[in-house]
Amino acid sequence: MTDKKDAAQNNKSDKVMNEISQELGTNTVNRIQEIADETQRLKNTQYQNPQHQQFSQEINCLVNSAREQQMSSQQQLQSTLNQASTNLIDSGRLETLYGNAQRLQQAAQLGISNLQINIEQYKTMIEQMEKDCHQQQVATDTQVVQSLQQAISSMAQAQNSLLQSQAVDKMFDSITKCQDSLAQIEQINQQTK
């Protein structure tokens, strides 16, 4: 029964992860197509004056920076969801182990005759607990390896965070330049009236 429960949890988690992965993959392909379309459109753009060109270039820079940040955020979300899925499976397995251990504890408190009468039931419970414990040990060992890999990649993540901070600074700079360009365009418009 526990195996079925674990299998159901694994299937549900896998389904959710697959849906998210497919969505992220589809979004990536769509983003690449958008970039290609945008690049082509930019080549065909006719600028009316230097302010118009500067404004357009700053907006394009802002769009690209925001897109990069969004994609990075989606990747972080995927990683978080993967970890949450693993934790959910572990929690269910450990809850089952705890429940069976409590039942065996109660059986022991009822005395030796109770254990003798229900020996097959208790042997089955212990065998299931052994399987669950083995699965949890494998999962824990895997998590140890993953944690070590994450520790190594933490430096890369810290570097990535610094780059993200710089990208946000660049977005602020682009926004400021867009405001300046719009102010110049507004002045040109007021001078021609």
Side-chain angles (χ1 to χ4, degrees), residues 7-17:
Q9 286 177 338
N10 286 340
N11 287 339
K12 185 176 181 181
S13 297
D14 288 345
K15 183 179 178 184
V16 170
M17 294 288 90

Side-chain angles (χ1 to χ4, degrees), residues 12-63:
K12 185 176 181 181
S13 297
D14 288 345
K15 183 179 178 184
V16 170
M17 294 288 90
N18 285 336
E19 288 173 2
I20 291 169
S21 294
Q22 287 175 354
E23 182 179 325
L24 289 174
T26 301
N27 286 343
T28 301
V29 169
N30 290 340
R31 298 281 187 229
I32 291 170
Q33 184 60 45
E34 286 175 16
I35 292 168
D37 292 345
E38 184 179 328
T39 302
Q40 185 60 40
R41 186 181 51 77
L42 291 175
K43 289 179 182 178
N44 298 333
T45 302
Q46 298 295 321
Y47 300 111
Q48 296 173 354
N49 59 34
Q51 291 79 15
H52 179 223
Q53 181 177 4
Q54 181 180 356
F55 178 77
S56 296
Q57 289 172 345
E58 291 304 328
I59 284 295
N60 292 334
C61 183
L62 182 58
V63 166

Side-chain angles (χ1 to χ4, degrees), residues 79-138:
S79 176
T80 301
L81 289 173
N82 287 342
Q83 185 62 43
S85 175
T86 299
N87 290 344
L88 183 63
I89 292 167
D90 288 349
S91 176
R93 189 180 299 118
L94 292 169
E95 184 178 331
T96 301
L97 275 165
Y98 176 67
N100 285 338
Q102 282 185 313
R103 284 191 280 286
L104 287 172
Q105 182 183 44
Q106 291 168 353
Q109 290 170 352
L110 294 174
I112 192 80
S113 59
N114 175 58
L115 292 173
Q116 290 171 334
I117 293 170
N118 298 303
I119 194 80
E120 290 303 317
Q121 177 186 355
Y122 298 138
K123 283 170 61 176
T124 302
M125 285 177 69
I126 287 177
E127 287 172 7
Q128 184 58 52
M129 290 173 66
E130 182 182 26
K131 288 178 186 175
D132 290 342
C133 193
H134 176 72
Q135 289 177 342
Q136 187 59 38
Q137 183 64 48
V138 169

Side-chain angles (χ1 to χ4, degrees), residues 127-181:
E127 287 172 7
Q128 184 58 52
M129 290 173 66
E130 182 182 26
K131 288 178 186 175
D132 290 342
C133 193
H134 176 72
Q135 289 177 342
Q136 187 59 38
Q137 183 64 48
V138 169
T140 302
D141 289 346
T142 301
Q143 289 174 12
V144 167
V145 171
Q146 290 173 345
S147 294
L148 290 172
Q149 290 171 341
Q150 288 173 354
I152 292 168
S153 70
S154 290
M155 297 287 284
Q157 289 175 348
Q159 179 67 28
N160 187 39
S161 294
L162 288 172
L163 293 173
Q164 285 178 331
S165 177
Q166 291 171 352
V168 172
D169 286 344
K170 186 176 178 181
M171 288 168 57
F172 272 118
D173 186 50
S174 293
I175 290 169
T176 302
K177 289 179 180 177
C178 287
Q179 289 172 332
D180 293 344
S181 295

